[in-house]
Structure formats: structure tokens, C-alpha cells
């Protein structure tokens, strides 16, 4: 039976991915580094069958059509070429968290899609091959293939064969590390990361300096993570996140991701640290929702503080999660 | 009588000054370009007299002491050396707008102080000499010596003798241009521009690129101003302002100037432009208060829109103002 279901978790970058060196191949300008989250997940069922008259994809019950479908079909075609399975495909996928709100839904979904498609076609890819396949669907998806703490190495080859994620440490390395996600708005973000990144690459005078300094931030963050030193990791994570927002703010015209509520959350984190001595640091993807990095023991206090801010719709606390896994039950 | 009173206006930069190449001499890393505002002003009376036992300075009724006084005394000593007047000085100064809230109060005060001190000492300095003297007290003060639209040329000499402001166009060049200042908070800003600039110079990976791109922004802004082309000037002004905030946000740790209310005002300006076709663009100094650039005919509509935002304490609309002038009435 050419059918498989995969579940994958989102990841939140500790050292951000911002900007591609090759748009067609999803090759990043820099390496990046993330934590895969437990709790939240995307589940995707894929079936190849001659019964289907055409490729069909449904995300959270909504059919995907036109240009958006083409992006999926590029992945299907890759898997068809690798496997020799040459028939239409049906895909259904669900997320248990809001899409396109800076919560890396495309990362979880992309990793689950790549895995389920390859399994449905009978392929038995290793983690690095699966990561590379995921990357070609949605860049940061490559970091959700494995669990714990993963580095997406930019690679050097023009064909992107050496650009995939590798696990730096498994979830068990630091099981008490937490990310508290403050969902500030269910609204879709105004500009896709893809378009905003490219706008930064083309018009921000700060892009080149961003690329130059990532290796330093990345080396420091990995060392701090391997030592489980949150007091060293936190400040690097906070600064590195601000730097992608700075690169975007420097574009012409400027790209703003921060909302009034984002700044209120950042204020709360800085106040927790300064006034109450709580070891909490924020990070911020290309969306309005801040994520707070802290130890498990401090997570309830962080969550209680953020809950008091009007407009914070939901708080999700997650620890280091596992990589993509295969499920026996299907969505259809 | 060794006594004189000067009045000067603040200026708001269209192309910002951010970062020094020489801290002691107040030499900027880049040139900058500003509009001197009518309406708001600082008035300063200076008297040299053997009757005084020591130098004394009072700002808005508060005596200045210690380290803050030393900064004034450096200016007095320069004027004493130039003029040969060698006795203690008394200074009183008043502002008709909030100090240290991103409204360039130090620019107006610095220009008025330099002018009144030089006049009280019997000096008859030209505008460029007065601009250089003002610069040595507070960098951006050098742009308030002349009216209208002034370029502070960074200069090339290590001694700073060629670093002063020159008038690019008088107020009459574009009398209908307006700046609507949204005073968002009477609170003093958390970090002085001086300290924040130096923090950017030392830790922001984007500082060098900022310095490199200012000449392009400046040339475009001057051309647009000379053509009275607001549709060309506005976008450059907006982008250039965002770039100093980007440089600061990229520092380690990051420097945040934007407040939740700042973002609400920026949203309102973008909405006026996008949804209502109003020619309005924002700029933002190292403080929380956005300033909106528009034509006189649109200023009431801009002000009405900003007034609806809760937390905007006051709106001030100003056109191009005159340079420093001498008053016959004194503060004491």
C-alpha cells in the first residue's frame, strides 16, 4: 500500500535563518540552529494511487490549488523520480496550532510532508536525505526532521547537496529547557517570510553584515547549549533574533514585524530578568509572536507574567521534542 | 555689557546622525540633513561678570551641577579663549517643549547657548563658526544655527574644523512643508542618544554599512528637497530613519527605542498613505516620538488621525523655521 502518515514538530531557531543565497534550491545564506518543540505538531497522510485523477492536497480541510499546489508538486516529482512510483498523489495535513503566525507551521508541515511522501513511495531515506528533501519544500522544515537541537548547515556546494540539518544534541541533552510561545494574534502575518527575506537580500544595506556575523553567534550559541549554560545562551539568542528584525527594518521600504503587543511582551521579559532575577530571554521569528527561553522551573512564572498582558491570546510551553515519526493511523 | 540672549529652534533630521568618529570632538561618522522647525524654541541668556563667584547654569529653573556642568564649561572656556573675556558666567535657558523626549531639545538649546555665549563675550562669529562651536557642545545643535534645510557635513579633518552645518535651502524654499510631531510620552527616554550611539558603534555589526550608505540617502534626499518632491523625499526619509533604529536594534545587547505607541503611530501613517492617499511619511529620532512629514494642506488630516490614538499626549505642527536670532529681552 502506497500510503503513509508522518507527524513532525515545529522548531524555533535560536540562531535565525534569514535570506537565501539560491532561491530556486532553497539554499540559505547562513547556517542556523534550532530547538524542535514537543507538544505542537503537524500530521500528514500521503497516498500514491492510480485511482486519483490528479494530485490533490488539503491543509486543515482547505484544498490547495494553483501556484500553491505547484510547490507541493515539485516535491512529489522529486520523490517520483527517486522512487519510480509514477501516479497521482493525495495529501491531507492538519496542524494543531495556528498557521502562518510565526510559529513555524511550515517547518512542521514540511518535514511531515517530505517524510510521509517518501515513505508512501516506498523510499527509506536517512535523516540527512530527508532533511535535504524537506529543505527543498520549505527551508526551515529541514530542521524539524530530527529532534532536540539541530544545526542547518548552509553548505558550500552550488547544487545544495551539502545543505541540510544535523542534530547537535538530542532532546535528552537538556530536557528542562523550555520555550514559552506567546501567541499574540491569530491573524496571518502581512508579508510571507519568503518575500520579506528576498526584500532584505535585495534592499537592506545590513544583509551582508548579517551573513558575516552569523558564524560567531552560531559558535557561541552551540557552545553555550552544549554546556547547558542558559545565562550565556539567552543573550546570544536575544541579540541574534533582533538582528534579523534589524536587517528587515533596514530594507527599502522597511519591513516591520514587531507589533505593539510584541514590544509589551519584550518589556515583560526584560522586567522579569532585571527586576525579578528570572533567567528568561526572548526570541522572535518573522512574525509577531515572541517566544521566551527559560528553564522548566521558571516557565510557570514566565507564563503567568505574559498572561497578564491584554491581547496575548494563548501561551504554549514546549520542551525539546523528537524528530519526525511514522504513525499507523491515517487522516483518510 | 557682557550679556546676550539668543533664541533657536529644534531641528529634525531628514537624514539621521547616528554615531561619532571622534567622541571628544563630536565628529560624526556621517553627514546628516535636517529641517529647522518654527514654533518650538529654546531661549538662553548668558552673562559674563566678575560679580559671579563661579559659573552657574540653570535649565528650566533647575541648576546644573557636577559632570553635566563640565560640559557647559568646555564651551565657556572655548569662548573665553577666543574672546579674551576671562570671568565667570551665568546662564539661564528655557524650552517651550519637553526635554529629552526625542524632540531635539538639546539641538535648540545648544545653538542658543553657543550663540548667546559668543555674543555675550563680544564675539561676532559667522554662521559656520557658530555651527562648529554648537557642534562641540551637542552634535546636532550645529544644524539649528541656520534656518530652513541644513546639511551637517561630516568633514574630513581630524581636528573637526570642517565639520559644521551649511544651509542647503532657506525656509522660503518650501514654506508649505510640515512636520507633525506626535508627543507620545513625557517620560525621559531610557538611554541617552550619546550612550546608545556609542553602543551601536562598538557592538552593532550594521554600523559600518550604515556609514557606507548614508551618502546615497543624503544625495537623494537633497535632490528631492531641492525639487520640492515630497513623493520622492518621503520614502527616503522613512527608510533612513528606520535604518538608525535597525543599527541600534542590532547592537549587543539590543537597543530598543520603539514603544507600542510608536508602532501604532507608524501604522496610522502607513494607513493614511495606503488607504486614503495622503502624502505622509514618518521619521523617528532616538526616542519614542514619531514625526510625520507632509504638506500643509494635509497636516490637519494627519493631526486628526494621530489625535485618535490613545496615548498621544500632544501634537505639534511645525513648518521650516529660522536660524538662531538675538533677542533684546533677557531671562534675568
Amino acid at each position: 500500500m502506497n500510503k503513509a502518515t508522518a507527524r513532525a514538530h515545529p522548531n524555533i531557531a535560536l540562531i535565525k535563518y534569514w535570506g537565501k543565497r539560491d532561491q530556486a534550491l532553497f539554499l540559505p545564506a547562513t547556517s542556523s540552529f534550532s530547538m524542535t518543540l514537543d507538544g505542537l505538531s503537524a500530521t500528514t497522510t500521503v497516498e500514491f494511487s492510480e485511482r486519483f485523477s490528479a494530485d490533490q492536497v488539503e491543509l486543515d480541510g482547505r484544498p490547495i490549488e494553483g501556484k500553491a499546489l505547484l510547490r507541493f508538486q515539485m516535491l512529489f516529482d522529486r520523490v517520483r523520480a527517486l522512487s519510480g512510483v509514477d501516479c497521482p498523489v493525495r495529501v491531507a495535513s492538519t496542524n494543531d496550532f495556528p498557521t502562518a503566525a510565526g510559529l513555524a507551521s511550515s517547518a512542521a508541515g514540511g518535514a511531515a510532508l517530505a517524510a510521509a511522501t517518501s515513505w508512501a513511495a516506498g523510499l527509506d531515506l536517512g535523516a540527512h536525505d530527508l532533511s535535504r528533501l524537506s529543505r527543498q519544500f520549505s527551508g526551515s522544515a529541514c530542521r524539524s526532521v530530527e529532534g532536540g537541537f539541530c544545526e542547518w548547515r548552509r553548505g558550500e556546494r552550488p547544487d545544495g547537496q551539502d545543505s541540510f540539518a544535523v542534530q547537535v544534541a538530542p532532546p535528552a541533552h537538556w530536557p528542562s529547557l523550555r520555550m514559552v510561545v506567546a501567541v499574540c494574534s491569530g491573524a496571518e502575518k502581512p508579508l510571507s517570510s519568503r518575500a520579506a527575506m528576498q526584500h532584505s537580500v535585495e534592499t537592506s544595506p545590513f544583509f551582508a553584515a548579517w551573513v558575516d556575523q552569523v558564524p560567531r553567534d552560531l559558535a557561541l550559541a552551540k557552545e553555550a547549549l552544549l554546556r547547558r549554560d542558559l545565562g550565556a545562551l539567552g543573550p546570544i539568542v536575544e541579540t541574534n533574533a533582533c538582528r534579523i528584525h534589524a536587517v528587515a527594518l533596514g530594507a527599502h521600504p522597511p519591513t516591520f514585524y514587531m507589533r505593539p503587543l510584541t514590544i509589551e511582551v519584550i518589556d515583560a521579559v526584560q522586567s522579569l530578568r532585571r527586576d525579578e532575577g528570572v533567567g528568561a530571554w526572548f526570541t522572535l521569528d518573522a512574525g509577531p509572536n515572541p517566544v521566551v527561553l527559560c528553564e522548566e522551573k521558571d516557565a510557570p512564572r514566565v507564563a503567568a507574567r505574559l498572561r497578564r498582558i491584554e491581547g496575548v491570546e494563548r501561551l504554549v510551553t514546549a520542551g525539546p521534542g523528537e524528530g519526525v515519526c511514522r504513525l499507523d493511523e491515517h487522516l483518510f
Side-chain angles (χ1 to χ4, degrees), chain A:
Chain A
M1 196 180 73
N2 287 333
K3 187 171 184 177
T5 297
R7 174 166 290 167
H9 302 288
N11 68 76
I12 298 283
L14 298 162
I15 299 298
K16 302 297 186 192
Y17 156 46
W18 194 250
K20 296 180 178 62
R21 66 178 202 272
D22 184 311
Q23 292 237 76
L25 296 175
F26 287 77
L27 295 180
T30 64
S31 297
S32 55
F33 183 46
S34 62
M35 176 171 122
T36 302
L37 304 184
D38 65 5
L40 310 171
S41 65
T43 304
T44 304
T45 296
V46 176
E47 183 176 9
F48 285 94
S49 172
E50 297 291 358
R51 304 191 323 271
F52 306 139
S53 58
D55 294 335
Q56 44 186 312
V57 177
E58 219 180 77
L59 294 189
D60 283 324
R62 287 179 313 167
I64 302 297
E65 283 158 350
K67 203 175 156 192
L69 183 62
L70 283 179
R71 188 171 154 214
F72 286 81
Q73 289 178 308
M74 286 172 64
L75 175 80
F76 304 151
D77 288 345
R78 264 191 202 99
V79 171
R80 288 184 184 109
L82 282 169
S83 65
V85 172
D86 190 26
C87 56
V89 71
R90 180 181 169 193
V91 173
S93 187
T94 62
N95 272 324
D96 58 7
F97 54 98
T99 52
L103 266 178
S105 56
S106 67
L113 177 74
T117 307
S118 69
W119 296 334
L123 293 174
D124 181 29
L125 301 178
H128 294 175
D129 283 338
L130 209 45
S131 177
R132 199 185 295 110
L133 185 64
S134 305
R135 184 203 86 220
Q136 290 169 306
F137 176 74
S138 173
S140 61
C142 76
R143 295 187 313 236
S144 277
V145 169
E146 292 194 272
F149 305 92
C150 296
E151 177 184 351
W152 175 7
R153 295 186 182 157
R154 74 186 287 281
E156 300 303 328
R157 290 175 51 160
D159 66 1
Q161 287 300 303
D162 57 350
S163 185
F164 52 80
V166 296
Q167 190 183 61
V168 171
H173 168 71
W174 198 342
S176 64
L177 193 62
R178 290 293 175 275
M179 285 189 174
V180 181
V181 182
V183 182
C184 282
S185 163
E188 303 233 337
K189 56 190 176 181
L191 188 60
S192 81
S193 316
R194 190 173 303 193
M197 272 186 195
Q198 193 54 23
H199 183 59
S200 284
V201 172
E202 288 168 9
T203 72
S204 178
F206 308 133
F207 186 72
W210 156 256
V211 171
D212 284 349
Q213 61 84 47
V214 165
R216 287 197 302 277
D217 283 0
L218 180 60
L220 291 169
K222 275 167 61 178
E223 282 166 27
L225 183 109
L226 290 171
R227 291 196 314 266
R228 297 184 197 87
D229 182 349
L230 186 56
L233 181 61
I236 300 161
V237 165
E238 217 170 81
T239 291
N240 183 268
C242 286
R243 285 176 176 166
I244 66 165
H245 291 269
V247 171
L249 189 59
H252 180 63
T255 304
F256 284 86
Y257 278 110
M258 292 192 192
R259 304 299 310 148
L261 204 51
T262 318
I263 293 182
E264 289 183 48
V265 172
I266 291 172
D267 284 352
V269 173
Q270 293 186 331
S271 155
L272 273 167
R273 203 161 69 220
R274 187 184 56 233
D275 306 328
E276 304 182 31
V278 177
W281 286 266
F282 69 86
T283 181
L284 191 57
D285 275 349
N289 300 318
V291 174
V292 184
L293 190 68
C294 63
E295 278 286 351
E296 182 179 19
K297 68 177 172 56
D298 293 320
R301 191 160 169 187
V302 168
R305 179 70 188 77
L306 300 187
R307 197 171 289 123
R308 295 198 332 243
I309 300 172
E310 196 182 343
V312 171
E313 291 180 1
R314 196 152 71 106
L315 289 161
V316 179
T317 299
E322 299 293 336
V324 67
C325 67
R326 189 159 186 163
L327 302 186
D328 291 330
E329 291 181 15
H330 304 303
L331 293 175
F332 60 86

